[in-house]
Amino acid sequence: MAGINRYRLVYHYFDGGKKVFDVKYEDGTHRDKFMLTEIDALTSKFSNDVELSKMLNLVSDNYQNGCFIIEYNSNGSTKTLETIFNDIPSLGQLAQKNLRRSNISKEDVESYMNDFLKLVKEDKEFLKFILSRRYTNDYFKSALSYYLRLKKSDEKEAQNILWEARANLKKEFTRYKTVRGIEIGKRNYKLFKEKKDIPKVNGTLTILQRAKIEYELNHPEKAQKSKPKKRRVIDGQMALFDVEPYTNNEYKNNFKK
């Protein structure tokens, strides 16, 4: 299922201000709003903000001394999502597989839901962690709570309608954004158990992470003796962001409908 292009990849400077990532067309127009899977497919190929900013600086500029945050509008206000990188490989693969879609494939839905329910059963603390933070919305929490309540019940009536509760929960798992939040929650829960820094609620970096990025930006690696041209560097990268669909008139016409 195709969705609405509502998300922006925004570079926030540490000293204030921001720069919005965009894709330019051959006719001079540009696009700065994307599907969430499109942004994740791009960022998940890099280890952190530094690697991503270095690549983007090859074709643009001003990606220095800051960090990337995903922004979108909801009910008249700007909300944020944290950017994912290659430390959650499952999400990068899922985003690429469902590029320019808001829902994921049926086989992926079943797999992700079963893995989640197994983890919830094995680790009660994980359930508390994921529900008490920002990783899921109220619709998901309600569907999950209803399903688990019926699952634990010994009443015959509860068991008779358990299939309906499971179907409702499965519907929540069809949404890429739902799975995304859970996978980020799983990553952060692991960090929590290891007593490591977790990205803040608004998607900004911790003091330690920010200091690390600022140091790397201000102390770049020494250039190699035989420095390739910018064009060759870009050509040598993996498929970072498929701009061909956005320079294709047929796609642009379909997008405008």
Side-chain angles (χ1 to χ4, degrees):
M1 176 182 176
I4 301 173
N5 300 281
R6 62 187 302 216
Y7 299 93
R8 289 180 172 180
L9 180 62
V10 183
Y11 193 70
H12 285 258
Y13 300 108
F14 293 141
D15 58 358
K18 62 185 181 180
K19 176 181 175 64
V20 180
F21 168 77
D22 66 346
V23 173
K24 293 180 173 58
Y25 298 110
E26 292 179 347
D27 61 5
T29 60
H30 76 287
R31 177 177 173 224
D32 60 9
K33 291 184 179 180
F34 306 91
M35 295 291 296
L36 191 53
T37 50
E38 292 178 294
I39 293 177
D40 286 352
L42 167 66
T43 63
S44 63
K45 289 179 169 57
F46 301 89
S47 297
N48 50 40
D49 294 84
V50 174
E51 283 193 3
L52 178 55
S53 62
K54 284 181 179 179
M55 189 283 293
L56 293 181
N57 278 328
L58 295 174
V59 293
S60 183
D61 55 11
N62 296 326
Y63 290 101
Q64 295 180 355
N65 295 313
C67 62
F68 291 96
I69 298 175
I70 297 172
E71 296 183 358
Y72 66 101
N73 292 325
S74 178
N75 297 322
S77 62
T78 300
K79 296 188 176 181
T80 63
L81 294 173
E82 60 192 86
T83 308
I84 68 160
F85 294 105
N86 61 13
D87 59 335
I88 314 180
S90 60
L91 264 186
Q93 295 166 8
L94 189 66
Q96 189 64 50
K97 183 177 180 179
N98 298 279
L99 199 62
R100 292 184 286 279
R101 295 168 61 90
S102 58
N103 287 2
I104 65 176
S105 61
K106 293 181 179 179
E107 59 268 25
D108 287 326
V109 170
E110 196 71 32
S111 175
Y112 275 95
M113 185 171 77
N114 289 339
D115 288 346
F116 174 81
L117 292 176
K118 180 181 178 181
L119 184 55
V120 165
K121 183 178 180 180
E122 295 174 347
D123 191 342
K124 305 300 182 185
E125 291 302 314
F126 168 69
L127 180 60
K128 293 179 182 178
F129 180 88
I130 201 131
L131 292 182
S132 64
R133 308 206 179 200
R134 68 191 185 281
Y135 308 112
T136 59
N137 59 30
D138 290 337
Y139 296 106
F140 177 84
K141 292 177 182 178
S142 177
L144 177 63
S145 176
Y146 185 53
Y147 172 78
L148 293 178
R149 186 166 65 249
L150 293 179
K151 183 74 173 177
K152 295 176 181 178
S153 177
D154 294 328
E155 296 182 7
K156 184 177 180 180
E157 183 179 354
Q159 295 305 310
N160 288 338
I161 60 176
L162 183 61
W163 66 271
E164 182 180 359
R166 183 178 175 84
N168 289 334
L169 180 60
K170 188 174 182 179
K171 182 179 179 181
E172 295 301 317
F173 272 93
T174 64
R175 299 182 175 91
Y176 173 77
K177 188 177 179 181
T178 296
V179 175
R180 183 188 198 271
I182 291 173
E183 291 301 295
I184 291 175
K186 287 166 64 176
R187 188 273 313 273
N188 289 353
Y189 180 64
K190 182 179 179 181
L191 293 174
F192 172 76
K193 291 178 67 177
E194 295 173 351
K195 297 182 179 180
K196 295 181 179 179
D197 284 331
I198 298 176
K200 296 180 180 179
V201 174
N202 63 359
T204 58
L205 304 176
T206 63
I207 295 175
L208 181 62
Q209 290 170 321
R210 173 172 166 171
K212 180 177 183 294
I213 289 177
E214 287 181 319
Y215 178 84
E216 291 176 341
L217 285 170
N218 294 321
H219 298 78
E221 296 179 0
K222 292 183 179 180
Q224 299 295 325
K225 291 183 178 180
S226 57
K227 185 178 179 181
K229 295 180 180 179
K230 286 187 175 182
R231 182 181 180 82
R232 293 187 61 188
V233 173
I234 298 171
D235 291 342
Q237 297 284 340
M238 294 187 296
L240 305 173
F241 192 83
D242 185 9
V243 299
E244 196 273 336
Y246 312 119
T247 57
N248 183 288
N249 291 330
E250 181 180 353
Y251 177 84
K252 291 174 67 177
N253 290 336
N254 290 335
F255 169 74
K256 292 177 180 177
K257 291 180 179 179

